[in-house]
Amino acid sequence: MELATQALGGNRYALARLISLVEDDGAEARAALTALYPRTGQAHIVGVTGAPGTGKSTLVNQLAQSLRERDQTVGIVAVDPSSPFTGGAMLGDRVRMRDLAGDPGVFIRSMATRGNLGGLARATRDVVKVLDAVGFAVVLVETVGAGQSEVEIARTAHTTVVVEAPGLGDEMQALKAGLMEIADVLVVNKADRPGAANTARALEMVLDRSAPRPNLSSGDGETRQLWEPPILQTVALDGSGVPQVLDAVAAHREHLRASGLWSELERERVREELLSLLQQELLRRTVARVGEEQVQAWTAQIAARQVDVYTAVHEILGE
Amino acid sequence: MSERFRILIAKPGLDGHDRGAKVIARALRDAGMEVIYAGLRQTPEMIVEAALQEDVDGVGLSILSGAHMTLIPRVVHGLREAGLEHVKLFVGGIIPDEDVPALEALGVSGIFGPGASTEVITEFVRQRLAGS
Ligand SMILES: Nc1nc2c(ncn2[C@@H]2O[C@H](COP(=O)(O)OP(=O)(O)OP(=O)(O)O)[C@@H](O)[C@H]2O)c(=O)[nH]1
Ligand SMILES: [Mg+2]
């Protein structure tokens, strides 16, 4: 609580400590999140995802600088994978963010996934909430470029920027399908390299803009304008094309606001969060009530085909 | 809760070799730590800022340039000013024997020459971060 108050007052070390608490979970973290929650919901949360090495961190560095030029404060969460074997992690995204050093309007935090799959850490959403609550106007979240389904970032961010680069070869084709679905803004980075225009064209084809798309209809029968993800080229090394990406990100935010999707997404997100927490908590309580011994006894019986899993669940829940 | 150490590895100064820093960073990662790798040409101010934002338990500096007697005091004072006196500082590189007492007096927790094995460094860092 103390930390939350200090962090709200602009104490950056308190903010850093608070983020650690949230990462480690526990009662103190939950109390702080409770205190901060009414202040959340202000920041524009922007996810930056894409295959390893496409230039996500370099682009985040540029986006943050451009945002600062537009007088917006920026919180950055950069996620990298933990080793499933040792729990260790190499968090190297800061290497590309040197230009942001010394700016009090920027706060960069590296996070390890700590066993969570899907490109984010379990606590990433809560860390984003903390940065939102203390007043960062934009929170940029760089995910692990895992190449697996990246839906988690799409569920966390308002706007998802998918970064591609020319010449990644065929494995990129496989990535596209999943990544393209979540992209609100598509960036072909490394446009200084040969093949960028081809990559952009290939993406254009995957998007298939000519195909008829169903219009979303809102409750009152009006149809909404659909968002067409723009495909933009950048050279993150020197910043070319970056203002255009930022314009697209801002336009997407306006689109969400104007269409009412912003609050719709918010409700969806909250519902999902509520249900998943309920699930965890009910499971924890049930196991605690029944006892680990009983769980093992049921497990043995089910494995021995003496009882089936559905019957076991009914019995355990006392139905 | 099992302790999960976070350590910042940085290479201050202007020389462009970070191979040693990377080797140590990987060894610490393999020992189960979360290593924040900041890379080359870090100023003392950048190092202190990163240590603060990342809420690390330790900072490891790789210094080959011979500028250790100017860089390290600035990092030590910066950490202190930022309220990070609890952060343990480790230094690797070419540090002449006669400079060691002065660095230890500044509160540097460990000094490793080019010959030190990664196993020795990793174990030493782990024990220091664990508070022994
Ligand atoms: N030629 C060229 N190289 C770039 C550009 N942007 C980034 N790079 C280089 O691409 C490499 C990877 O950049 P990062 O920003 O670390 O990529 P990333 O996607 O964050 O990588 P991971 O976090 O490891 O997945 C670095 O060597 C960058 O210097 C660009 O626009 N042009
Ligand atoms: Mg990166």
Side-chain angles (χ1 to χ4, degrees), chain A residues 12-13 16-21 23-25 82-83 86-96 98-104 106-114, chain B residues 1 4 6 8 22 24-43 45-46 49-56 82-84 86-87:
Chain A
R12 289 161 75 84
Y13 184 48
R17 290 287 309 137
L18 190 55
I19 291 174
S20 299
L21 274 184
E23 270 198 286
D24 294 340
D25 207 0
S82 300
S83 158
T86 65
M90 179 73 79
L91 313 175
D93 297 314
R94 283 190 92 97
V95 172
R96 314 279 171 216
R98 287 172 44 94
D99 298 331
L100 304 173
D103 183 345
V106 175
F107 191 98
I108 307 171
R109 181 65 175 234
S110 311
M111 264 186 108
T113 53
R114 298 191 177 179
Chain B
M1 190 177 54
R4 183 131 39 178
R6 286 169 69 84
L8 175 75
K22 277 187 175 151
I24 293 302
R26 277 192 216 108
L28 294 170
R29 174 199 62 189
D30 293 342
M33 297 182 202
E34 291 183 354
V35 180
I36 294 96
Y37 188 73
L40 290 167
R41 289 186 287 282
Q42 296 282 306
T43 65
E45 292 73 25
M46 290 162 93
E49 184 184 42
L52 181 138
Q53 293 180 351
E54 301 288 356
D55 188 23
V56 293
L84 302 176
H86 59 279
V87 172

Side-chain angles (χ1 to χ4, degrees), chain A residues 156-181:
Chain A
T156 302
H158 298 114
T159 303
T160 302
V161 178
V162 171
V163 185
E164 308 269 6
L168 279 187
D170 287 341
E171 66 267 42
M172 203 180 82
Q173 301 297 333
L175 285 179
K176 272 178 203 154
L179 280 175
M180 298 285 281
E181 262 171 53

